[in-house]
Amino acid sequence: MEFVPGRPPLPPPEAIIAAGHEWAVFLAPADPQMQHTPNEPYYYERKNGITTWIRPFDYIEPTDPNNPDAALNVGHKWQQAESERKRHAARIFAKQDTAVSQQFIDDTPWRRVETKQNRVFYYNNDTKESRWDQPVQVTQALQIMAEKEKEREAEGTEMNVDDAEWMLEQMQDEYMSDDESVDTHDANALPQTDERIALMDKSERIVQFKSMLHEAKVDPFGTWDSELDKVINDWRLTAITDDAERGDLFDTVCAEIIERRNRERKEPLVKSTDPFGDLLRENVVKKTSFAKFCQRNLKDPRYLSIKTSREREKRFVKHLESVIGAK
């Protein structure tokens, strides 16, 4: 058996067979921290994932008189096989992916589709083209939509003098009698929690209680006891005092949340053409006042979709008339 200087002698053939390892040699890349020299050989055993700088006793170096890189070619073939295995696994995994939601982009034929594996692609309804990168037309449309949204928020959150005075009048009419003079800066002039609830009928108390649960984003797969901490400090919790009724309403809200999620997964995300109307339908009952409606939904984007307070009041009165007429 030939002895190569600088390397340990080869073990007997029976020892190599008994070990059953599969080694290959690789050349290390350059190391910025200079912990090893560039192209320094190291050894990798693919069955057990072992890596070592020291030549293993059972490593047999392939030799080929016509190929001086025969030893390195073994490692290259392993790398190619592993890359192909990963690509194949990725293709299989990708075929199992399904779309869970989609959003139509305004003023474009494109829609944004999100998959179960949290991947996003874009689909053109006209040309039937699909692509992973965001089309220029979509980028431009999203920029325009963002600018319009900023303008709408700026316009909707700014109150002029007339709006402020009108809102104060509405609040005074709601919470104070005509012959009562109260300092509007006095904290005692504001209704306390119990007073607000006392002014509500049963249907409005239920609406308030359910709105509280929706806004708290309760877990629809949790229990009333486990989710109580999320609303324990909310004044609307006392709108319903019976524990059994609270549990029933909690179950109802959980069912609504699950139904909405299932519907969103199955249906395209279509932007509402009348967001303020949706807000009215969700929050207004027979005895809801306009002042209460404004206070409760002042920060809702759908509330801000109507620019002026007077226009909001007109829409509110018209909707309230239809609610009272229906009952």
Side-chain angles (χ1 to χ4, degrees), residues 65-127:
N66 300 320
N67 184 3
D69 295 328
L72 295 175
N73 285 344
V74 174
H76 292 327
K77 290 180 180 179
W78 287 10
Q79 289 176 320
Q80 292 173 357
E82 178 64 14
S83 298
E84 180 57 32
R85 185 194 66 79
K86 290 181 178 180
R87 283 195 295 268
H88 180 68
R91 285 193 293 268
I92 294 177
F93 184 68
K95 288 181 180 180
Q96 298 172 350
D97 202 4
T98 57
V100 295
S101 65
Q102 53 184 327
Q103 175 185 8
F104 290 89
I105 309 300
D106 291 349
D107 301 323
T108 75
W110 293 93
R111 62 175 114 168
R112 180 183 183 274
V113 183
E114 185 172 348
T115 73
K116 186 177 181 181
Q117 297 173 9
N118 296 322
R119 300 189 298 172
V120 174
F121 68 92
Y122 298 87
Y123 178 76
N124 190 305
N125 296 314
D126 295 342
T127 64

Side-chain angles (χ1 to χ4, degrees), residues 74-256:
V74 174
H76 292 327
K77 290 180 180 179
W78 287 10
Q79 289 176 320
Q80 292 173 357
E82 178 64 14
S83 298
E84 180 57 32
R85 185 194 66 79
K86 290 181 178 180
R87 283 195 295 268
H88 180 68
R91 285 193 293 268
I92 294 177
F93 184 68
K95 288 181 180 180
Q96 298 172 350
D97 202 4
T98 57
V100 295
S101 65
Q102 53 184 327
Q103 175 185 8
F104 290 89
I105 309 300
D106 291 349
D107 301 323
T108 75
W110 293 93
R111 62 175 114 168
R112 180 183 183 274
V113 183
E114 185 172 348
T115 73
K116 186 177 181 181
Q117 297 173 9
N118 296 322
R119 300 189 298 172
V120 174
F121 68 92
Y122 298 87
Y123 178 76
N124 190 305
N125 296 314
D126 295 342
T127 64
K128 312 304 179 186
E129 174 190 1
S130 297
R131 54 191 298 177
W132 293 107
D133 59 313
Q134 188 176 92
V136 176
Q137 192 177 6
V138 172
T139 303
Q140 295 172 346
L142 292 177
Q143 290 175 348
I144 294 174
M145 291 168 61
E147 292 172 358
K148 289 182 178 179
E149 184 64 24
K150 288 181 180 179
E151 293 175 359
R152 184 161 54 249
E153 290 179 358
E155 292 175 359
T157 54
E158 292 180 359
M159 267 194 175
N160 56 33
V161 176
D162 292 339
D163 287 337
E165 292 178 352
W166 177 88
M167 181 61 74
L168 287 173
E169 291 175 1
Q170 291 291 322
M171 293 175 66
Q172 289 172 349
D173 291 342
E174 181 68 27
Y175 300 120
M176 294 185 293
S177 60
D178 295 336
D179 59 348
E180 194 175 13
S181 176
V182 182
D183 183 1
T184 56
H185 296 284
D186 183 1
N188 294 326
L190 294 175
Q192 301 301 313
T193 299
D194 291 342
E195 295 177 3
R196 283 182 285 186
I197 293 174
L199 295 173
M200 301 178 188
D201 61 11
K202 182 64 174 181
S203 61
E204 189 165 2
R205 291 187 184 190
I206 292 175
V207 169
Q208 289 283 0
F209 191 84
K210 292 175 67 176
S211 298
M212 172 192 68
L213 295 177
H214 279 291
E215 292 172 13
K217 297 181 179 179
V218 296
D219 181 4
F221 300 103
T223 64
W224 167 240
D225 292 335
S226 66
E227 298 298 298
L228 180 58
D229 288 343
K230 294 182 179 179
V231 297
I232 194 67
N233 296 320
D234 195 307
W235 66 270
R236 293 170 292 183
L237 177 63
T238 57
I240 303 296
T241 56
D242 183 72
D243 287 339
E245 188 176 3
R246 285 178 174 178
D248 291 341
L249 290 174
F250 175 80
D251 293 340
T252 300
V253 169
C254 290
E256 292 173 356

